[in-house]
Amino acid sequence: MGNDSRTADDTMVIAQSRQDPERFAVLFTRHAPAIKRYVIRRLGEDPAEDIVAETFITAFERRESYDMARGDALPWLYGIATNLIGRHRRREVTLYRALSRTGADSVTEPFTDQVDQRVAATALRRRLAAALAALPRAHRDTLLLVTWAELTYEQAAEALDVPVGTVRSRVNRARGKLRRALGDVDPTAITEETHR
């Protein structure tokens, strides 16, 4: 996920920001676009700006307690964003239900360029959205951090502050539930195909 120089840079930026608070803006510039894409996928456009801003405000306020051994700050930021998304859970489930009815996905729609792929992806998106809405929050959060945010299991564990084994278990259970809901279609292929 993150390269070694960015990891060192993130740690250095946070350390420097403890004495020079304006330095923290580097993390915003570096990671806000990824966090925003993740939030839009989870909740839609409307609350994205506010949640991204709140994510970085929270991170800034907690920078003194940041574990410098963590290195890459992105999993930490995804964890904060995921907790903030949890406050908007009803909206997320409503968004998935609407997507399951309409097939319209504001994040991926502009990037789909072939009609046949678009039609197939729309049908899969609808089924996937309905299945995601039915998942327990902890399973959905974990699965989406691994698939949409492309975090490793270790990074997802760090983001959610749970053991790696819990991440593996949640992802496995979520994929199994999605696979059953989608008629044995591989949910990993669907999420990659329809959400990139």
Side-chain angles (χ1 to χ4, degrees):
M1 175 89 216
N3 63 37
D4 290 337
S5 64
R6 187 182 78 198
T7 298
D9 288 347
D10 284 354
T11 303
M12 186 172 56
V13 167
I14 292 169
Q16 292 170 347
S17 75
R18 291 173 177 171
Q19 299 301 316
D20 179 9
E22 290 181 16
R23 185 81 174 114
F24 198 81
V26 171
L27 287 183
F28 181 85
T29 302
R30 184 177 294 159
H31 298 303
I35 299 296
K36 184 175 180 181
R37 281 190 302 274
Y38 177 69
V39 173
I40 289 172
R41 284 180 171 173
R42 300 280 311 259
L43 298 176
E45 290 275 346
D46 291 343
E49 292 289 335
D50 290 341
I51 291 178
V52 170
E54 193 172 346
T55 297
F56 283 89
I57 289 169
T58 301
F60 179 79
E61 291 169 351
R62 295 180 184 169
R63 74 189 188 285
E64 291 292 334
S65 63
Y66 180 79
D67 180 0
M68 299 306 249
R70 285 181 134 182
D72 186 359
L74 193 56
W76 177 57
L77 294 168
Y78 274 123
I80 293 168
T82 298
N83 287 334
L84 294 171
I85 287 168
R87 296 181 188 167
H88 296 267
R89 184 173 182 275
R90 281 192 188 126
R91 179 172 171 75
E92 179 183 30
V93 171
T94 300
L95 181 72
Y96 290 142
R97 287 184 180 143
L99 179 57
S100 74
R101 286 189 307 276
T102 66
D105 184 342
S106 62
V107 175
T108 60
E109 204 64 38
F111 303 105
T112 307
D113 51 5
Q114 295 181 349
V115 175
D116 290 341
Q117 287 178 340
R118 192 173 183 177
V119 170
T122 297
L124 290 174
R125 263 197 307 270
R126 286 179 180 177
R127 292 170 52 205
L128 177 60
L132 284 171
L135 286 177
R137 177 181 167 209
H139 292 165
R140 184 173 49 249
D141 287 348
T142 307
L143 179 68
L144 297 181
L145 282 170
V146 170
T147 58
W148 288 357
E150 298 178 352
L151 295 184
T152 64
Y153 285 179
E154 291 77 14
Q155 290 170 321
E158 188 177 306
L160 297 170
D161 197 25
V162 297
V164 174
T166 300
V167 169
R168 291 183 194 285
S169 174
R170 287 178 183 173
V171 168
N172 187 40
R173 287 181 181 154
R175 285 184 171 149
K177 288 178 182 181
L178 291 179
R179 190 175 294 114
R180 285 188 296 281
L182 299 174
D184 288 328
V185 173
D186 179 8
T188 304
I190 293 171
T191 53
E192 289 173 359
E193 180 179 310
T194 62
H195 289 95
R196 286 196 184 213

mmCIF file of all heavy atoms in Angstrom, residues 41 96 99 105 107-108 125 128 132 147-148 190-196:
data_model
loop_
_atom_site.group_PDB
_atom_site.id
_atom_site.type_symbol
_atom_site.label_atom_id
_atom_site.label_comp_id
_atom_site.label_asym_id
_atom_site.label_seq_id
_atom_site.Cartn_x
_atom_site.Cartn_y
_atom_site.Cartn_z
ATOM 1 N N ARG A 41 -17.737 6.642 -1.685
ATOM 2 C CA ARG A 41 -18.221 5.290 -1.958
ATOM 3 C C ARG A 41 -19.143 4.798 -0.851
ATOM 4 O O ARG A 41 -20.082 4.062 -1.103
ATOM 5 C CB ARG A 41 -17.052 4.324 -2.096
ATOM 6 C CG ARG A 41 -16.346 4.452 -3.404
ATOM 7 C CD ARG A 41 -15.206 3.468 -3.467
ATOM 8 N NE ARG A 41 -14.658 3.431 -4.803
ATOM 9 C CZ ARG A 41 -13.577 2.767 -5.128
ATOM 10 N NH1 ARG A 41 -12.931 2.081 -4.206
ATOM 11 N NH2 ARG A 41 -13.132 2.777 -6.361
ATOM 12 N N TYR A 96 -26.914 2.296 -0.217
ATOM 13 C CA TYR A 96 -26.790 0.967 -0.808
ATOM 14 C C TYR A 96 -28.136 0.463 -1.305
ATOM 15 O O TYR A 96 -28.231 -0.158 -2.360
ATOM 16 C CB TYR A 96 -26.196 -0.033 0.185
ATOM 17 C CG TYR A 96 -24.735 0.204 0.480
ATOM 18 C CD1 TYR A 96 -24.239 0.028 1.760
ATOM 19 C CD2 TYR A 96 -23.844 0.603 -0.501
ATOM 20 C CE1 TYR A 96 -22.907 0.245 2.055
ATOM 21 C CE2 TYR A 96 -22.525 0.825 -0.224
ATOM 22 C CZ TYR A 96 -22.055 0.646 1.059
ATOM 23 O OH TYR A 96 -20.737 0.853 1.349
ATOM 24 N N LEU A 99 -28.930 2.293 -4.477
ATOM 25 C CA LEU A 99 -28.089 1.744 -5.532
ATOM 26 C C LEU A 99 -28.600 0.384 -5.988
ATOM 27 O O LEU A 99 -28.595 0.075 -7.170
ATOM 28 C CB LEU A 99 -26.631 1.639 -5.038
ATOM 29 C CG LEU A 99 -25.602 1.052 -6.000
ATOM 30 C CD1 LEU A 99 -25.549 1.835 -7.298
ATOM 31 C CD2 LEU A 99 -24.237 1.038 -5.337
ATOM 32 N N ASP A 105 -24.388 4.628 -9.693
ATOM 33 C CA ASP A 105 -23.278 4.796 -8.753
ATOM 34 C C ASP A 105 -22.501 6.031 -9.166
ATOM 35 O O ASP A 105 -21.789 6.024 -10.167
ATOM 36 C CB ASP A 105 -22.386 3.557 -8.770
ATOM 37 C CG ASP A 105 -21.269 3.610 -7.748
ATOM 38 O OD1 ASP A 105 -20.949 4.696 -7.240
ATOM 39 O OD2 ASP A 105 -20.701 2.545 -7.462
ATOM 40 N N VAL A 107 -19.888 7.361 -8.093
ATOM 41 C CA VAL A 107 -18.426 7.268 -8.064
ATOM 42 C C VAL A 107 -17.899 6.606 -9.325
ATOM 43 O O VAL A 107 -16.959 7.073 -9.943
ATOM 44 C CB VAL A 107 -17.940 6.482 -6.823
ATOM 45 C CG1 VAL A 107 -16.441 6.287 -6.871
ATOM 46 C CG2 VAL A 107 -18.331 7.223 -5.564
ATOM 47 N N THR A 108 -18.506 5.506 -9.734
ATOM 48 C CA THR A 108 -17.968 4.758 -10.867
ATOM 49 C C THR A 108 -18.616 5.123 -12.192
ATOM 50 O O THR A 108 -18.041 4.859 -13.238
ATOM 51 C CB THR A 108 -18.137 3.239 -10.650
ATOM 52 O OG1 THR A 108 -19.523 2.954 -10.517
ATOM 53 C CG2 THR A 108 -17.364 2.774 -9.450
ATOM 54 N N ARG A 125 -23.758 -4.262 -9.589
ATOM 55 C CA ARG A 125 -23.739 -3.229 -8.549
ATOM 56 C C ARG A 125 -25.010 -3.254 -7.719
ATOM 57 O O ARG A 125 -24.972 -3.094 -6.508
ATOM 58 C CB ARG A 125 -23.575 -1.842 -9.184
ATOM 59 C CG ARG A 125 -22.167 -1.327 -9.188
ATOM 60 C CD ARG A 125 -22.127 0.169 -9.427
ATOM 61 N NE ARG A 125 -22.839 0.602 -10.611
ATOM 62 C CZ ARG A 125 -22.299 0.710 -11.816
ATOM 63 N NH1 ARG A 125 -21.052 0.397 -12.001
ATOM 64 N NH2 ARG A 125 -23.018 1.132 -12.829
ATOM 65 N N LEU A 128 -24.860 -6.250 -5.454
ATOM 66 C CA LEU A 128 -23.816 -6.034 -4.459
ATOM 67 C C LEU A 128 -24.258 -5.006 -3.417
ATOM 68 O O LEU A 128 -24.061 -5.203 -2.216
ATOM 69 C CB LEU A 128 -22.519 -5.577 -5.117
ATOM 70 C CG LEU A 128 -21.363 -5.250 -4.175
ATOM 71 C CD1 LEU A 128 -20.973 -6.458 -3.342
ATOM 72 C CD2 LEU A 128 -20.174 -4.725 -4.946
ATOM 73 N N LEU A 132 -24.405 -5.584 0.498
ATOM 74 C CA LEU A 132 -23.619 -4.767 1.430
ATOM 75 C C LEU A 132 -24.514 -4.145 2.500
ATOM 76 O O LEU A 132 -24.136 -4.072 3.673
ATOM 77 C CB LEU A 132 -22.866 -3.657 0.682
ATOM 78 C CG LEU A 132 -21.619 -4.084 -0.087
ATOM 79 C CD1 LEU A 132 -21.115 -2.929 -0.944
ATOM 80 C CD2 LEU A 132 -20.533 -4.575 0.851
ATOM 81 N N THR A 147 -11.141 -3.915 0.464
ATOM 82 C CA THR A 147 -11.404 -3.928 -0.979
ATOM 83 C C THR A 147 -11.391 -2.537 -1.604
ATOM 84 O O THR A 147 -10.733 -2.338 -2.623
ATOM 85 C CB THR A 147 -12.743 -4.620 -1.301
ATOM 86 O OG1 THR A 147 -13.802 -3.967 -0.615
ATOM 87 C CG2 THR A 147 -12.694 -6.087 -0.926
ATOM 88 N N TRP A 148 -12.080 -1.583 -1.026
ATOM 89 C CA TRP A 148 -12.145 -0.253 -1.639
ATOM 90 C C TRP A 148 -10.953 0.611 -1.287
ATOM 91 O O TRP A 148 -10.436 1.324 -2.132
ATOM 92 C CB TRP A 148 -13.427 0.467 -1.233
ATOM 93 C CG TRP A 148 -14.661 -0.084 -1.875
ATOM 94 C CD1 TRP A 148 -14.745 -1.089 -2.802
ATOM 95 C CD2 TRP A 148 -16.000 0.328 -1.636
ATOM 96 N NE1 TRP A 148 -16.038 -1.316 -3.139
ATOM 97 C CE2 TRP A 148 -16.843 -0.470 -2.443
ATOM 98 C CE3 TRP A 148 -16.565 1.275 -0.813
ATOM 99 C CZ2 TRP A 148 -18.220 -0.316 -2.459
ATOM 100 C CZ3 TRP A 148 -17.945 1.413 -0.823
ATOM 101 C CH2 TRP A 148 -18.757 0.637 -1.640
ATOM 102 N N ILE A 190 -16.487 -8.573 -8.129
ATOM 103 C CA ILE A 190 -17.508 -7.547 -8.326
ATOM 104 C C ILE A 190 -17.044 -6.222 -7.765
ATOM 105 O O ILE A 190 -17.139 -5.199 -8.420
ATOM 106 C CB ILE A 190 -18.845 -7.952 -7.676
ATOM 107 C CG1 ILE A 190 -19.424 -9.146 -8.414
ATOM 108 C CG2 ILE A 190 -19.840 -6.790 -7.702
ATOM 109 C CD1 ILE A 190 -20.608 -9.752 -7.734
ATOM 110 N N THR A 191 -16.503 -6.235 -6.553
ATOM 111 C CA THR A 191 -16.085 -4.967 -5.965
ATOM 112 C C THR A 191 -14.960 -4.349 -6.775
ATOM 113 O O THR A 191 -14.932 -3.163 -6.982
ATOM 114 C CB THR A 191 -15.640 -5.121 -4.488
ATOM 115 O OG1 THR A 191 -14.659 -6.123 -4.400
ATOM 116 C CG2 THR A 191 -16.807 -5.422 -3.596
ATOM 117 N N GLU A 192 -14.036 -5.169 -7.270
ATOM 118 C CA GLU A 192 -12.936 -4.610 -8.062
ATOM 119 C C GLU A 192 -13.450 -4.105 -9.389
ATOM 120 O O GLU A 192 -13.074 -3.060 -9.860
ATOM 121 C CB GLU A 192 -11.867 -5.688 -8.289
ATOM 122 C CG GLU A 192 -11.100 -6.011 -7.020
ATOM 123 C CD GLU A 192 -10.161 -7.180 -7.176
ATOM 124 O OE1 GLU A 192 -10.116 -7.769 -8.264
ATOM 125 O OE2 GLU A 192 -9.484 -7.507 -6.197
ATOM 126 N N GLU A 193 -14.355 -4.845 -10.007
ATOM 127 C CA GLU A 193 -14.859 -4.483 -11.334
ATOM 128 C C GLU A 193 -15.734 -3.245 -11.291
ATOM 129 O O GLU A 193 -15.699 -2.404 -12.175
ATOM 130 C CB GLU A 193 -15.669 -5.668 -11.877
ATOM 131 C CG GLU A 193 -16.258 -5.458 -13.237
ATOM 132 C CD GLU A 193 -17.009 -6.716 -13.669
ATOM 133 O OE1 GLU A 193 -16.433 -7.805 -13.572
ATOM 134 O OE2 GLU A 193 -18.147 -6.569 -14.104
ATOM 135 N N THR A 194 -16.550 -3.114 -10.259
ATOM 136 C CA THR A 194 -17.534 -2.041 -10.238
ATOM 137 C C THR A 194 -17.127 -0.838 -9.418
ATOM 138 O O THR A 194 -17.801 0.166 -9.457
ATOM 139 C CB THR A 194 -18.898 -2.552 -9.721
ATOM 140 O OG1 THR A 194 -18.724 -3.001 -8.386
ATOM 141 C CG2 THR A 194 -19.439 -3.641 -10.594
ATOM 142 N N HIS A 195 -16.030 -0.918 -8.693
ATOM 143 C CA HIS A 195 -15.675 0.207 -7.835
ATOM 144 C C HIS A 195 -14.261 0.695 -8.074
ATOM 145 O O HIS A 195 -13.591 1.146 -7.163
ATOM 146 C CB HIS A 195 -15.885 -0.159 -6.357
ATOM 147 C CG HIS A 195 -17.329 -0.249 -6.022
ATOM 148 N ND1 HIS A 195 -18.015 -1.418 -6.026
ATOM 149 C CD2 HIS A 195 -18.226 0.719 -5.736
ATOM 150 C CE1 HIS A 195 -19.268 -1.191 -5.715
ATOM 151 N NE2 HIS A 195 -19.415 0.111 -5.531
ATOM 152 N N ARG A 196 -13.789 0.633 -9.292
ATOM 153 C CA ARG A 196 -12.485 1.198 -9.619
ATOM 154 C C ARG A 196 -12.642 2.217 -10.697
ATOM 155 O O ARG A 196 -13.499 2.194 -11.497
ATOM 156 C CB ARG A 196 -11.551 0.102 -10.091
ATOM 157 C CG ARG A 196 -11.132 -0.719 -8.898
ATOM 158 C CD ARG A 196 -9.957 -1.549 -9.206
ATOM 159 N NE ARG A 196 -9.716 -2.331 -8.034
ATOM 160 C CZ ARG A 196 -8.550 -2.704 -7.632
ATOM 161 N NH1 ARG A 196 -7.493 -2.406 -8.284
ATOM 162 N NH2 ARG A 196 -8.398 -3.415 -6.549
#
